[in-house]
Amino acid sequence: MSPVPVVGVLALQGAFARHVDALRRLGFDPVEVRRPEQLAGIDALVMPGGESTTMIKLLTGFDLVEPLGKRLADGMPVFGTCAGMILLAANVLDGHQDQLCFGAIDVDVRRNGYGRQVDSFEADLRVAAVGDPPVRAVFIRAPVVVRTGPTVEVLAENDGVPVLCRQGPIMVSSFHPELTDDDRLHQLFLRSLG
Amino acid sequence: MAETNSGTPSPQRHDGTVRVKRGLAEMLKGGVIMDVVTPDQARIAEEAGAVAVMALERVPADIRADGGVARMSDPEMIEGIKAVTTIPVMAKARIGHFVEAQILQALGVDYVDESEVLTPADEAHHIDKWSFTVPFVCGATNLGEALRRISEGACMIRSKGEAGTGNVVEAVRHLRSILGDIRKITQADSAELFEWAKRLQAPLPLVQEIAETGKLQVPLFCAGGLATPADAALAMQLGAEAVFVGSGIFKSADPAPRAKAIVEATTHYNDAEILAKVSRGLGTPMTGIGMDEINVRMADRGW
């Protein structure tokens, strides 16, 4: 492993540029990942928000499913936000028949579980792992966590529903920390790289 | 469920904030938004990897051919498309027709396009978009127009191009105009910014903000005349952050593979090897028309 970990950002579609900005602010030099060979050189990965159906098509079409699955099985740390969370989940309720998820974290989610865009919202979250002040969380057509397994750590809830979860090297959020200038959740994730 | 170490739920919930409305545009970046006129087409679009669909009764090429007044689509038609897709659904309201926009918001569409493709309802005013929860996208041919729309509350700008032509030349002109002026403004001194605001007929604070950040306040997408994977990649390389494809897909000989190829080209817009691969064997694109052959310039609508 290189002295400064190389963090990749899955850049097939979505808000990947905002994650790249956040990682740069924290002193990293992130790599945009679009092709399978780019997975080999990274120590950790951020899977951004966007449209999960589009990402699945592009992951499949460009032979990323198998190598990414392998890196996940080998324990690569990954932070998935919104669509990224859907892709990392164990089960996706009312997804498509060909819905693909990597099962990297033992949570079940429902796509667009909070409703359509007119139901999107932002709210303050208490996240004990990062302390005060609260994290301003932006939920956009967000997935709802409907089940968490016994080894999943719930780091934050909104209205009693888990919205930030961690299990070993995998961290997921229903909301979009990349849409604010508060980088504490990225920092929290990167701390796990040692 | 695992035990939580978080606190009580927050009462400070806010819907329809600028961040929430612009945020959905962020999620669509790097993607393709496709015009669809039936639930079947919506399924094809989603299957091809579209990030959103634009539900309308006629694609711009047909609106152009048919003439007459083009209006908001029938709510039943929009509902039909909403029912079969899980990706965001957009729909068009006429320029200045705030009641069409109210209806679209009530229908729960995810984005309203205040669009020059429809016949304008107001010759002087655009919709006051701040008063809506649903976000708006508006077209622009130049930076002044883009900033006027942003000042009215647009959360996404798309360069207009010339819809329904299958001809990318106007899209390129508009993108270059918007992005070229942004580049020039970043080089201007503080006194010159007043003159820029006057010349663009745009609010000074927005011009000053661009001088500081070097970019538009909201995501900038490209529309109007894109018909091939190479067209999409061209728009992306010029600096668009996503693309709209209207007539270009469902007016081509074989829409499904073309739609998929345009999605792939938009992701891999900087990778000529992949662009060469996905551009192969797509059949005949829409015929397209030259700018000297058209009677109506839709891009001229908007003030």
Side-chain angles (χ1 to χ4, degrees):
Chain A
M1 196 181 275
S2 45
V4 177
V6 179
V7 182
V9 179
L10 189 67
L12 295 172
Q13 190 274 316
F16 56 86
R18 300 296 290 263
H19 279 290
V20 168
D21 292 345
L23 292 166
R24 287 215 177 107
R25 284 196 295 268
L26 295 171
F28 287 82
D29 188 12
V31 176
E32 293 186 1
V33 174
R34 293 187 179 83
R35 300 178 71 144
E37 58 270 25
Q38 292 163 328
L39 279 172
I42 59 170
D43 302 307
L45 181 68
V46 174
M47 293 170 63
E51 277 308 314
S52 59
T53 52
T54 303
M55 291 186 202
I56 290 166
K57 306 289 174 199
L58 292 161
L59 283 166
T60 312
F62 291 90
D63 304 321
L64 279 150
V65 177
E66 203 196 315
L68 178 53
K70 199 156 180 300
R71 290 300 310 267
L72 286 164
D74 291 345
M76 175 173 66
V78 181
F79 183 17
T81 61
C82 197
M85 175 200 236
I86 295 172
L87 293 176
L88 291 166
N91 293 291
V92 180
L93 278 67
D94 58 2
H96 286 252
Q97 286 169 334
D98 60 346
Q99 183 83 41
L100 173 143
C101 48
F102 286 98
I105 182 165
D106 191 16
V107 301
D108 294 351
V109 300
R110 178 176 291 121
R111 283 186 65 209
N112 305 331
Y114 288 95
R116 305 193 71 92
Q117 174 62 15
V118 287
D119 308 306
S120 295
F121 63 99
E122 49 183 279
D124 285 335
L125 299 181
R126 299 229 157 266
V127 185
V130 302
D132 284 328
V135 169
R136 192 70 181 161
V138 186
F139 292 82
I140 296 172
R141 290 171 45 95
V144 171
V145 173
V146 293
R147 183 192 64 85
T148 56
T151 58
V152 172
E153 191 185 357
V154 176
L155 299 173
E157 289 185 342
N158 183 63
D159 281 342
V161 177
V163 293
L164 179 67
C165 301
R166 189 166 60 184
Q167 182 183 27
I170 308 294
M171 190 164 118
V172 293
S173 67
S174 309
F175 56 94
H176 295 282
E178 75 278 14
L179 292 185
T180 66
D181 295 329
D182 182 348
D183 298 327
R184 287 176 295 164
L185 295 183
H186 287 87
Q187 261 172 322
L188 178 65
F189 167 66
L190 294 165
R191 225 179 281 156
S192 68
L193 302 182
Chain B
M1 196 168 277
E3 202 173 274
T4 169
N5 62 358
S6 67
T8 48
S10 158
Q12 292 110 329
R13 176 185 159 131
H14 293 107
D15 293 24
T17 63
V18 167
R19 199 150 48 189
V20 164
K21 293 201 281 189
R22 291 182 184 175
L24 179 56
E26 295 284 341
M27 297 310 135
L28 302 177
K29 280 185 179 177
V32 183
I33 299 146
M34 301 183 191
D35 280 2
V36 298
V37 301
T38 63
D40 268 352
Q41 289 187 353
R43 273 193 218 101
I44 292 171
E46 184 165 357
E47 185 55 33
V51 290
V53 292
M54 176 76 69
L56 70 179
E57 263 159 12
R58 292 175 289 171
V59 293
D62 289 334
I63 292 175
R64 192 176 281 291
D66 295 352
V69 174
R71 311 178 179 88
M72 177 188 80
S73 296
D74 188 319
E76 201 171 275
M77 181 268 167
I78 295 168
E79 298 279 9
I81 284 170
K82 272 176 60 198
V84 300
T85 53
T86 63
I87 57 178
V89 175
M90 303 186 176
K92 291 181 193 289
R94 281 179 269 178
I95 289 173
H97 206 315
F98 50 86
V99 173
E100 285 187 348
Q102 289 163 5
I103 292 170
L104 293 175
Q105 175 168 282
L107 289 172
V109 306
D110 296 296
Y111 242 92
V112 173
D113 184 3
E114 187 183 15
S115 178
E116 72 283 359
V117 167
L118 305 184
T119 311
D122 190 319
E123 291 181 326
H125 309 92
H126 283 252
I127 298 169
D128 172 7
K129 294 166 271 287
W130 294 111
S131 59
F132 287 79
T133 305
V134 67
F136 280 73
V137 51
C138 288
T141 59
N142 58 52
L143 184 58
E145 207 177 347
L147 293 178
R148 288 194 294 280
R149 297 298 83 81
I150 292 169
S151 74
E152 296 155 1
C155 292
M156 179 202 301
I157 294 295
R158 52 173 176 74
S159 55
K160 283 180 180 170
E162 192 55 43
T165 61
N167 187 337
V168 79
V169 66
E170 294 298 298
V172 169
R173 184 208 310 279
H174 300 155
L175 257 187
R176 279 200 180 278
S177 172
I178 293 167
L179 292 164
D181 277 354
I182 289 174
R183 284 188 284 268
K184 285 177 207 154
I185 285 172
T186 61
Q187 303 298 311
D189 72 18
S190 57
E192 289 167 337
L193 294 180
F194 294 94
E195 201 272 326
W196 268 106
K198 197 164 58 181
R199 195 189 325 162
L200 293 174
Q201 298 179 274
L204 177 65
L206 293 184
V207 175
Q208 289 168 325
E209 198 182 334
I210 284 178
E212 212 167 285
T213 64
K215 51 182 197 183
L216 206 61
Q217 285 79 359
V218 303
L220 174 63
F221 292 8
C222 178
L226 279 59
T228 67
D231 288 349
L234 175 65
M236 295 295 287
Q237 285 198 28
L238 284 170
E241 295 175 295
V243 298
F244 286 79
V245 183
S247 318
I249 290 172
F250 290 101
K251 283 286 164 190
S252 72
D254 197 359
R258 178 165 298 269
K260 179 167 178 276
I262 292 176
V263 168
E264 293 172 341
T266 303
T267 290
H268 297 281
Y269 67 92
N270 255 331
D271 192 327
E273 193 195 333
I274 289 181
L275 294 175
K277 199 174 126 201
V278 305
S279 298
R280 295 165 74 101
L282 296 178
T284 317
M286 73 178 282
T287 309
I289 34 182
M291 287 310 126
D292 48 0
E293 300 169 65
I294 60 175
N295 302 322
V296 176
R297 288 232 177 196
M298 291 174 175
D300 292 343
R301 299 164 170 172
W303 1 99

XYZ file of all heavy atoms in Angstrom, chain B residues 64 162 165 167 287-297:
117
model
N -42.278 20.290 -34.673
C -41.807 21.137 -35.773
C -42.571 20.829 -37.053
O -43.015 21.739 -37.766
C -40.310 20.868 -35.969
C -39.577 21.823 -36.836
C -38.095 21.484 -36.850
N -37.388 21.944 -35.660
C -37.158 23.222 -35.377
N -37.569 24.169 -36.187
N -36.512 23.571 -34.291
N -30.926 23.554 -31.180
C -32.164 23.718 -31.933
C -32.875 22.371 -31.954
O -32.457 21.444 -32.665
C -31.874 24.248 -33.340
C -33.109 24.729 -34.082
C -33.935 25.809 -33.331
O -33.360 26.746 -32.760
O -35.185 25.692 -33.324
N -33.968 19.003 -34.767
C -33.258 19.119 -36.042
C -32.266 17.980 -36.273
O -31.855 17.739 -37.406
C -32.462 20.434 -36.135
O -31.478 20.450 -35.083
C -33.377 21.640 -36.001
N -29.346 18.240 -35.613
C -28.183 19.003 -36.061
C -27.535 19.639 -34.831
O -28.159 20.435 -34.131
C -28.659 20.078 -37.050
C -27.507 20.801 -37.708
O -26.396 20.835 -37.187
N -27.779 21.383 -38.867
N -32.762 11.717 -39.708
C -32.265 12.369 -40.918
C -31.641 13.720 -40.627
O -30.536 14.014 -41.052
C -33.417 12.540 -41.927
O -34.042 11.273 -42.072
C -32.906 13.039 -43.257
N -32.330 14.538 -39.885
C -31.780 15.848 -39.535
C -32.048 16.881 -40.611
O -32.306 16.555 -41.774
N -31.987 18.150 -40.192
C -32.208 19.240 -41.140
C -31.210 20.359 -40.904
O -30.753 20.579 -39.787
C -33.654 19.812 -41.060
C -34.188 19.754 -39.627
C -34.588 19.082 -41.994
C -35.598 20.259 -39.493
N -30.892 21.055 -41.993
C -29.963 22.188 -41.902
C -30.652 23.413 -41.341
O -31.876 23.542 -41.430
N -29.874 24.320 -40.755
C -30.462 25.511 -40.123
C -31.117 26.425 -41.151
O -32.007 27.205 -40.833
C -29.396 26.278 -39.340
C -28.983 25.602 -38.055
S -30.386 25.124 -37.024
C -30.015 23.399 -36.809
N -30.657 26.346 -42.429
C -31.258 27.204 -43.456
C -32.568 26.617 -44.000
O -33.237 27.217 -44.824
C -30.255 27.447 -44.600
C -29.603 26.161 -45.078
O -29.921 25.076 -44.516
O -28.788 26.225 -46.011
N -32.921 25.394 -43.524
C -34.150 24.760 -44.018
C -35.318 24.918 -43.042
O -36.403 24.413 -43.297
C -33.925 23.258 -44.223
C -32.826 22.898 -45.221
C -32.505 21.401 -45.159
O -33.395 20.606 -45.503
O -31.398 21.048 -44.743
N -35.086 25.543 -41.878
C -36.171 25.588 -40.894
C -36.818 26.962 -40.837
O -36.179 27.984 -41.041
C -35.701 25.160 -39.477
C -34.579 26.069 -38.963
C -35.267 23.721 -39.470
C -34.172 25.765 -37.540
N -38.131 26.953 -40.565
C -38.893 28.197 -40.491
C -38.925 28.755 -39.078
O -38.906 29.967 -38.887
C -40.330 27.966 -40.952
C -40.376 27.431 -42.368
O -39.578 27.847 -43.213
N -41.270 26.490 -42.622
N -39.012 27.856 -38.097
C -39.148 28.298 -36.716
C -37.870 28.002 -35.960
O -37.423 26.854 -35.917
C -40.327 27.568 -36.030
C -40.407 27.957 -34.553
C -41.636 27.891 -36.729
N -37.278 29.034 -35.386
C -36.140 28.831 -34.492
C -36.676 28.818 -33.061
O -36.974 29.870 -32.493
C -35.125 29.950 -34.665
C -34.380 29.866 -35.973
C -32.891 29.933 -35.723
N -32.173 29.775 -36.975
C -30.879 29.489 -37.041
N -30.177 29.346 -35.945
N -30.284 29.349 -38.201
